Amino acid sequence: MLAATLGAALAFGAPAALAGTAPVSPSGAPAPVAKAPGGAKAAAPSSQSATWVAGTRAYLVITAPGDSSAVRSAIAANGGTVFSNYDAIGVIVAHSASSTFATTMRGVSGVQKVGATRTSDVPADAYNPALPANPAQSSTPAGEPVRADMSQIKADQAWAVTTGSASVKVGVLDTGVDDQHQDLAPNFNAADSVSCAYGKADARTGAWRDVDTHGTHVAGTIAAAKNGKGVVGVAPGVKISAVRVAEPGNSFFFAENTICGFVWAGDHGFKVTNNSYYTDPWQFNCPDNIDQAAIIEGVKRAQEYAESKGSLQIAAAGNENYDLAHKTTDTASPNDSTPVTRTITNACLDIPTELPGVVTVAANGSGTTKASFSNFGSGVIDVAAPGSDVYSTLPGGKYGTKSGTSMATPHVVGVAALIASANPGITPAQIRDKLATQANDIACPSDSRCTGTAANNSFFGEGQVDALKAVGSTPPSGKYFENLGDVAIGDNTTVESPITVSGVSGNAPATLKVGVDIKHTYIGDLKVDLVAPDGTVYTVHNRAGGGTGNIAQTYTVNASSEVANGTWKLRVNDNAGGDTGKIDAWNLTF
């Protein structure tokens, strides 16, 4: 999760949503975080109020899904304005400076719930948002060593099976993403990126950029490109879309922003979303509070909508070392004004991580230990992943280390993206199940707070994710060779990419693994062959797939009659005009 304000937001108990999953130092103390000030894009959002006035607050007005015109008219008649509305889920975001607005609207026919989403004023920036800075980029020397966190979840071995498909879109709902970063630009999907700050989609170019550093760090862990420099993400072949949910200056993630993000994810085909935050200003939303009940309902409907469209939400458990299954107090809320200590129960929810259908992620420390800061809870935690001292991308072409359940979550999102890549058509429920079944069990340590079995307990849920098992393979037993160099595939041309194999005695195996990553807009045009050192041709793909884009697959070839050592080639023949692409990478495992 993220914390509240940026400085505080990324700290334990910080005022902002990042607080729950804010990056922390290895010692567990809050880590200082610097604040950061494809097609035609929509015009800048225009003001829906003639003049912003002090005292303007935001409200969720919940009604039945469908035509909300009568309720919207009632909002205008009772001192409010409609800032945005989502008729598909029956949620309207209204602004009003009237102290009686919520009470009056609760009496309007067709209105089910009304709740204030903040205890502070809506910023004037909401009516004419400034674009985030586009930082100058540093260059990075060549070299891309496999990081310990990637080896820990066997992502480096999973890449021999698949690096992920470019047809899989992953939404990073966060502080934004630096799309110009050298390690993110190759996989960045600007066409489906947006800002949802203040609760209304702003698709202007660059509106999605990072107003902190958090979102860019998360994005790198998910899908930094396998390009020979910097770092490599868990799923370096998938596409990243940025949905900036955080507001500038404080990095608050209010309910209307989250709702906008989930609806956007559903409407834009995101297979998975990363949610390393909690919904401000309440660390826990309690259904017996009239405002918080509306927040729970609105965000829940948006998440259900996204899932109904094929999108799985994965969220951070939080960084307070708190037992989410035995809630007693909340001392951090509301974080946009003055927090007060209040008594709570398990009916109060950390949103979105405790909503039905959302995968909740705890953080591992070194190896398979529990990270000292990670929240926990029997029946709450689903899986765990590395979350301590994670090295990833930062805005401006930079790199750095962060800790938090915020950092664990993108590892799980990357694994989910690999699952989706290896299993086209898989549903969110099926991805959830596969995330659970592939996880490696971790027994409870000598800590009385950990309850359950090795198979499922309150610290680690089903266990630590395993990318290799997730893509349905076992560790390669033989030597591994790869070529990451791009080779352009033109219309009606034949191209080859070589791999020189050495140090393998005897012949190739009868189960030679050939990993192929080809980016192409019409794979029905392509014939793909493995050419042995002696020139023998083994066809692995022959113009199948029609208009499907990209080949990200591992083939098994009986090459037992071939001497292993020598130069092997991947030959690609394009047999039609109108579509082009490239060999992005390929590999051999003996």
Side-chain angles (χ1 to χ4, degrees):
M1 300 182 133
L2 298 164
T5 61
L6 251 206
L10 299 176
F12 286 27
L18 289 173
T21 48
V24 295
S25 69
S27 66
V33 180
K35 291 188 180 181
K41 294 297 182 182
S46 58
S47 172
Q48 296 193 24
S49 296
T51 306
W52 175 87
V53 297
T56 298
R57 296 293 172 89
Y59 299 88
L60 296 183
V61 180
I62 310 294
T63 185
D67 183 6
S68 65
S69 56
V71 174
R72 283 183 274 131
S73 295
I75 289 170
N78 287 288
T81 59
V82 174
F83 187 74
S84 58
N85 68 288
Y86 303 94
D87 280 357
I89 60 173
V91 175
I92 302 168
V93 179
H95 288 178
S96 180
S98 168
S99 61
T100 61
F101 175 76
T103 302
T104 302
M105 285 303 302
R106 288 177 187 126
V108 171
S109 176
V111 172
Q112 299 172 357
K113 288 181 172 66
V114 178
T117 64
R118 33 184 111 200
T119 62
S120 56
D121 290 358
V122 175
D125 184 65
Y127 297 108
N128 188 22
L131 288 174
N134 185 10
Q137 300 293 316
S138 303
S139 60
T140 295
E144 191 180 50
V146 175
R147 306 289 306 178
D149 55 319
M150 295 297 159
S151 296
Q152 190 170 328
I153 63 168
K154 299 188 180 69
D156 53 337
Q157 295 181 51
W159 300 330
V161 180
T162 179
T163 56
S165 169
S167 64
V168 172
K169 299 179 188 177
V170 177
V172 179
L173 277 61
D174 213 290
T175 62
V177 173
D178 179 6
D179 56 304
Q180 305 296 309
H181 195 292
Q182 60 210 341
D183 241 358
L184 300 177
N187 291 334
F188 191 80
N189 174 20
D192 293 308
S193 293
V194 72
S195 169
C196 273
Y198 310 114
K200 180 164 58 178
D202 177 0
R204 290 176 296 162
T205 298
W208 57 72
R209 292 196 176 120
D210 208 334
V211 295
D212 179 44
T213 61
H214 194 272
T216 299
H217 194 277
V218 164
T221 299
I222 297 169
K226 204 168 189 288
N227 55 5
K229 56 187 175 183
V231 297
V232 57
V234 177
V238 305
K239 290 297 183 183
I240 307 164
S241 299
V243 180
R244 179 165 66 84
V245 183
E247 297 182 7
N250 55 27
S251 283
F252 283 115
F253 295 65
F254 291 108
E256 59 267 37
N257 309 7
T258 304
I259 290 166
C260 170
F262 285 159
V263 172
W264 183 273
D267 286 342
H268 289 260
F270 295 174
K271 198 66 181 175
V272 193
T273 68
N274 189 106
N275 301 272
S276 290
Y277 61 90
Y278 69 75
T279 301
D280 297 297
W282 308 99
Q283 184 170 6
F284 301 102
N285 285 271
C286 301
D288 60 355
N289 178 288
I290 198 165
D291 292 313
Q292 293 162 39
I295 291 172
I296 294 171
E297 182 65 20
V299 179
K300 177 175 175 286
R301 288 190 187 186
Q303 145 27 44
E304 289 172 343
Y305 176 83
E307 180 160 346
S308 75
K309 295 286 189 175
S311 178
L312 175 66
Q313 280 55 252
I314 300 178
N319 295 342
E320 292 77 29
N321 192 23
Y322 191 93
D323 187 350
L324 296 174
H326 296 90
K327 301 184 184 83
T328 56
T329 56
D330 175 11
T331 61
S333 307
N335 59 21
D336 65 337
S337 54
T338 304
V340 297
T341 298
R342 58 179 180 150
T343 299
I344 62 172
T345 69
N346 284 349
C348 303
L349 301 178
D350 183 336
I351 292 175
T353 199
E354 289 192 277
L355 290 177
V358 176
V359 175
T360 303
V361 181
N364 290 124
S366 175
T368 55
T369 63
K370 173 189 176 294
S372 61
F373 51 79
S374 182
N375 286 353
F376 57 98
S378 179
V380 178
I381 303 302
D382 291 306
V383 290
S388 296
D389 300 325
V390 175
Y391 187 78
S392 186
T393 48
L394 296 175
K398 299 175 182 177
Y399 300 84
T401 298
K402 293 183 187 289
S403 294
T405 53
S406 281
M407 284 62 253
T409 303
H411 288 89
V412 178
V413 169
V415 171
L418 291 179
I419 291 171
S421 298
N423 301 274
I426 193 170
T427 67
Q430 289 169 332
I431 297 176
R432 266 197 308 271
D433 290 345
K434 198 164 181 64
L435 282 171
T437 58
Q438 56 74 46
N440 292 315
D441 293 346
I442 305 176
C444 280
S446 298
D447 187 326
S448 61
R449 300 173 302 165
C450 186
T451 59
T453 66
N456 194 323
N457 58 59
S458 59
F459 274 14
F460 312 111
E462 298 281 352
Q464 187 178 86
V465 292
D466 185 318
L468 186 62
K469 286 168 61 178
V471 294
S473 184
T474 55
S477 57
K479 291 193 174 183
Y480 176 78
F481 303 85
E482 68 179 351
N483 186 336
L484 300 178
D486 291 351
V487 179
I489 305 170
D491 282 331
N492 295 296
T493 61
T494 298
V495 298
E496 294 180 339
S497 176
I499 288 178
T500 299
V501 174
S502 61
V504 180
S505 60
N507 284 7
T511 56
L512 178 65
K513 301 297 183 184
V514 185
V516 176
D517 185 359
I518 293 174
K519 304 294 191 291
H520 197 278
T521 50
Y522 200 102
I523 65 172
D525 290 355
L526 303 180
K527 182 173 182 285
V528 182
D529 299 317
L530 175 69
V531 183
D534 69 355
T536 303
V537 174
Y538 299 86
T539 299
V540 297
H541 172 90
N542 194 1
R543 304 196 66 179
T548 303
N550 306 323
I551 300 173
Q553 191 168 339
T554 297
Y555 302 94
T556 300
V557 172
N558 183 353
S560 58
S561 63
E562 308 293 340
V563 174
N565 291 334
T567 299
W568 297 72
K569 297 176 184 178
L570 189 73
R571 177 182 295 163
V572 180
N573 173 230
D574 184 294
N575 293 276
D579 291 271
T580 59
K582 65 179 179 178
I583 302 174
D584 200 31
W586 73 288
N587 57 68
L588 292 170
T589 304
F590 287 81

